[in-house]
Amino acid sequence: MAGHSQFSNIKHRKGAQDAKRSQKFTKLIREIMAIAKQGLPDPELNSRLRSAVSTARKENLPKDKIETAIRNATGSVIGGNYEEIQYEGYGPSGTALIVHALTNNRNRTTSEVRHIFSRKGGSLGEIGNVSYLFDHVGLIIYKTENVNFESLFTHGIELEVLDIEENNKEGLYIITCKVKDFSRVRDAFYAKFGKPELVRLSWQPKDLVKISDKELIKKLSTLVKELEDNDDVQYVDGNFTFADSI
């Protein structure tokens, strides 16, 4: 199996978030609250919530904060009603970006995201403007040092995943699956190989654009960093990768 990898970009953007520990915790708490409110508040009965809790623990979010977030999701906490919003837009040179956000104030978040796009040489579009350039997939990533590729590959074949890619430079195995199979595939990999490095739904570009122009790399890096630094933005996917990341 082979295919384009976005993890270099994901890793780059995730690093910008990790520099702000409190902001990272806030985003994890919001995600737990939103998922718990949408479905069952018990991680054992809600696979998506179980995944969010697992990610939070991996990022060292304290257990009491996780439990409080779940309790608050089922109560009437002021400002605790978060909804998921997807934004689509164009960056410099016609690059495409999809922004996933959790917010308790849609108008505020939309205004802030639009302002960032505009100020950094891009433009916020309507839903469907760029998503046709991507495939919506489930994304599961393991470090090569933690699992055996042959076992991972065989398990992936049995689960009918879309792709398993080995990224030697980053030391990672990157697995993608259909969205409808995500919960099943994710739980099966958890059970056999333990917690992955990263697990979430992702927008994977059908054609990955390799950016080598230093000025454009700087502009795109700044745009994505500012989007991800916004308190309401959970993650950003783009249809590009930087030349020094491949």
Side-chain angles (χ1 to χ4, degrees), residues 9-20 228-229:
N9 285 352
I10 293 169
K11 180 182 177 183
H12 174 80
R13 295 195 288 271
K14 185 172 180 292
Q17 288 182 324
D18 288 349
K20 298 183 178 180
E228 292 253 352
D229 280 348

Side-chain angles (χ1 to χ4, degrees), residues 149-190:
F149 179 73
E150 290 186 6
S151 298
L152 196 78
F153 186 86
T154 299
H155 200 50
I157 292 293
E158 293 172 351
L159 294 169
E160 298 182 327
V161 301
L162 295 173
D163 184 42
I164 300 178
E165 179 184 356
E166 183 174 8
N167 186 318
N168 291 318
K169 183 176 180 180
E170 301 289 349
L172 302 166
Y173 296 132
I174 302 161
I175 305 150
T176 52
C177 65
K178 294 178 181 178
V179 171
K180 68 180 182 65
D181 296 332
F182 183 52
S183 294
R184 174 179 63 83
V185 171
R186 177 195 58 209
D187 289 353
F189 273 100
Y190 269 30

Side-chain angles (χ1 to χ4, degrees), residues 5 14 22 57 68 156 172-173 194 197 199 201 220 224 231:
S5 169
K14 185 172 180 292
S22 62
R57 286 174 176 167
T68 298
L172 302 166
Y173 296 132
E197 181 72 9
V199 55
L201 294 178
L220 285 169
V224 172
D231 287 341

Side-chain angles (χ1 to χ4, degrees), residues 5 8 167 169-170 208-211 241-246:
S5 169
S8 292
N167 186 318
K169 183 176 180 180
E170 301 289 349
L208 194 63
V209 180
K210 182 178 178 180
I211 306 295
T241 189
F242 301 140
D244 60 354
S245 298
I246 298 179

Side-chain angles (χ1 to χ4, degrees), residues 84-177:
E84 295 180 283
I85 305 178
Q86 177 177 303
Y87 298 101
E88 300 182 24
Y90 291 99
S93 296
T95 49
L97 298 103
I98 295 179
V99 181
H100 182 75
L102 285 173
T103 180
N104 59 356
N105 188 324
R106 178 184 286 261
N107 291 335
R108 179 199 66 219
T109 305
T110 300
S111 176
E112 291 177 352
V113 170
R114 177 178 287 111
H115 180 64
I116 294 171
F117 267 101
S118 177
R119 191 156 48 86
K120 296 302 176 181
S123 62
L124 184 64
E126 301 294 331
I127 292 296
N129 275 19
V130 304
S131 57
Y132 72 94
L133 298 171
F134 297 76
D135 291 318
H136 201 198
V137 300
L139 178 68
I140 304 167
I141 295 175
Y142 282 95
K143 288 185 176 180
T144 56
E145 63 191 47
N146 296 333
V147 296
N148 174 270
F149 179 73
E150 290 186 6
S151 298
L152 196 78
F153 186 86
T154 299
H155 200 50
I157 292 293
E158 293 172 351
L159 294 169
E160 298 182 327
V161 301
L162 295 173
D163 184 42
I164 300 178
E165 179 184 356
E166 183 174 8
N167 186 318
N168 291 318
K169 183 176 180 180
E170 301 289 349
L172 302 166
Y173 296 132
I174 302 161
I175 305 150
T176 52
C177 65

Side-chain angles (χ1 to χ4, degrees), residues 230-245:
N230 182 277
D231 287 341
D232 296 333
V233 173
Q234 295 295 106
Y235 61 82
V236 179
D237 284 323
N239 70 337
F240 54 87
T241 189
F242 301 140
D244 60 354
S245 298

